[in-house]
Amino acid sequence: MSALQARPPGIEFTPWPPELARQYRQAGYWLDRPLDALLADGLAIAPDATALICGEGQFSYRDMAQAVERLAASLWTRGLRRHDTALVQLPNVAEFYLVFFALLRLGVVPVNALFSHRRHELLAYAAQVRPRLLIADRSHALFADEAFLTVLQQDHPQLGQVLLRGETTGPRSLAQALGSPLPPTWPGDAGPTPADEVAFFQLSGGSTGTPKLIPRTHNDYDYSVRRSAEICRLSPRTRYLCALPAAHNFPLSSPGALGVFHAGGCVALAGSPEPLACFELIERHQLTMTGLVPSAVSLWMQAVQDEPARRHQLQTLSLLQVGGASFAESQARRVTEVLGCRLQQVFGMAEGLVNYTRLDDEEARILGTQGRPMSPADEVQVRDPQGLPLPPGEVGLLATRGPYTFRGYYRSPEHNQRVFDAQGFYCSGDLVRQTAQGDLCVVGRVKDQINRGGEKIAAEEVEDLLLRHVDIRQVGVIAVPDERLGEKSCACFASSRSDLDAPSLRRFLREQGVADYKVPDRFERLPALPLTAVGKIDKQALRALIDKAAPLSQARETP
Ligand code: AMP
Ligand code: DBH
């Protein structure tokens, strides 16, 4: 990469109005420090304490800082500079955080794809950010050989640098880049990072055809993490289990691993929320806190009920956060009795706003609501379909703005027009009710999305993929109730071919390289799909139709 090559001036994003930005600074929400200061906070508190546990590996804060600097220096030597972008896909491993902090240190802006993402999602992210750097894992099917790498590099001539976890030697080895001594050319610092710039892209669950990216600035994300850590009373004694995908907003920032690093505590990684493995980790490492989606909580409670002797493994667990999808009050009520820990409900979104029940709230609020906004500066309105505010107690659409809620999706002017109002409020598409005490209860949503146990699926994205099939005339993807996951997805389609069946459509989607969780759990062939007056597929009518059809048609499980 030559010094003469033009570099973008900065990652574009929609800024907060200057007057609000001034207020956020004055109130001490925005500290104008880079996001990797969160790791420096922990390093200052407890340099030799264990910060990170992954399998048999452990890192003290000092070890982490050293590995981060080595990786940053290695990337610097390879020509990576501020405002370059990176595509990162790593599972729940220590390297996820080391890479994240090294990129922040350089001012290189990553998209952290989920490990469940495949070709379709990675290509969509790459097309949007045009990365100069890819960091991926040989254990992922896409990177087991050279085929996909070759495609990516052909489509993206700017993608000059690739680092792979699982590659033991050579210039593409991530392990070598993390372990190599600092090169003499490394200036020791990549220069100041303006904190009102984009730090990284968060992923939106989405409701449109292409996955959308959320620019998060250093200032706004840093504040959301510090405030979350304060609400959850994190301290150097906090020992947090990260069992959800590490890149997800919840285990990353609410207060998540970043909050724990800020407080000088310890993060232990699990490959998944599978109960028995998590219980072992909790027992072995004396973990005190974790965050789960409701379907995982059910599995944990079932595991204890099946084998009550296991409960002693959870002795140190004092706080369980639950969020990402609707948590039934009947389930919430059983948490403390079965798992022996305190419950906190969390209603958040990668776009910003995060609500928490507070640790000392009375029981009825913790069990029956999804909490209240974390910041005094969060503005929340519950509105009718015309956009007018509703009185407390009424169900309406959630609109919000504040010091850590974004102002626009990356390069999506049309979609931004739809989901932001003239005052900069973001309309999340959630249907909520606000109690007289200010707590929010999530009662549904209007956005065209399926919440499959906390994994969000944009109906339109799957519909677009199915419409590529020559034999599909019409398709509508809807949510159907599921006991275990809350919701599953059902694709209703019309086709002239009577033999078009679920296995062949699943195969068709998988061949297009879409993440597994987006492949519909159920397919229903209909003679024709119901339409609205303007000729769009009438999803409400479709839901009613499928509801009625449910006893007759066999629900098919994903293999
Ligand atoms: P995402 O846009 O992928 O970050 O997903 C955020 C969405 O997840 C929210 O807008 C809600 O629809 C849903 N969500 C998150 N937490 C909860 C919760 N505690 N209860 C119900 N829905 C939730
Ligand atoms: O579902 C979410 O996106 C979510 C849930 C809880 C989230 O982003 C968060 C907390 O920060």
Side-chain angles (χ1 to χ4, degrees), residues 254-330:
S254 299
L258 295 184
V260 175
F261 294 140
H262 162 70
C266 173
V267 175
L269 285 157
S272 83
E274 191 280 313
L276 300 190
C278 286
F279 291 5
E280 308 255 311
L281 285 172
I282 292 170
E283 181 180 28
R284 177 168 172 206
H285 301 298
Q286 305 278 287
L287 306 178
T288 61
M289 174 182 176
T290 192
L292 294 177
V293 291
S295 49
V297 179
S298 300
L299 293 177
W300 283 37
M301 293 203 286
Q302 193 59 52
V304 170
Q305 284 178 325
D306 289 349
E307 224 178 317
R310 290 211 170 263
R311 188 167 149 165
H312 81 272
Q313 295 187 287
L314 305 181
Q315 246 164 16
T316 55
L317 189 70
S318 65
L319 182 64
L320 173 64
Q321 302 180 287
V322 181
S326 269
F327 193 37
E329 189 166 342
S330 57

Side-chain angles (χ1 to χ4, degrees), residues 62-137:
R62 227 191 279 279
D63 298 335
M64 271 187 86
Q66 192 175 49
V68 166
E69 178 162 20
R70 285 181 168 165
L71 180 57
S74 169
L75 292 171
W76 166 273
T77 314
R78 294 159 194 256
L80 271 300
R81 295 292 182 271
R82 163 157 309 122
H83 303 149
D84 283 343
T85 55
L87 179 59
V88 178
Q89 187 190 44
L90 291 170
N92 281 16
V93 292
E95 290 90 330
F96 173 83
Y97 303 111
L98 303 175
V99 164
F100 187 58
F101 285 119
L103 296 177
L104 290 173
R105 173 115 185 230
L106 290 177
V108 172
V109 178
V111 179
N112 297 315
L114 299 178
F115 204 63
S116 54
H117 286 154
R118 297 185 50 199
R119 194 179 70 230
H120 167 75
E121 289 82 15
L122 296 191
L123 289 178
Y125 297 139
Q128 291 181 71
V129 306
R130 308 205 57 78
R132 284 183 192 266
L133 168 68
L134 170 76
I135 299 185
D137 194 317

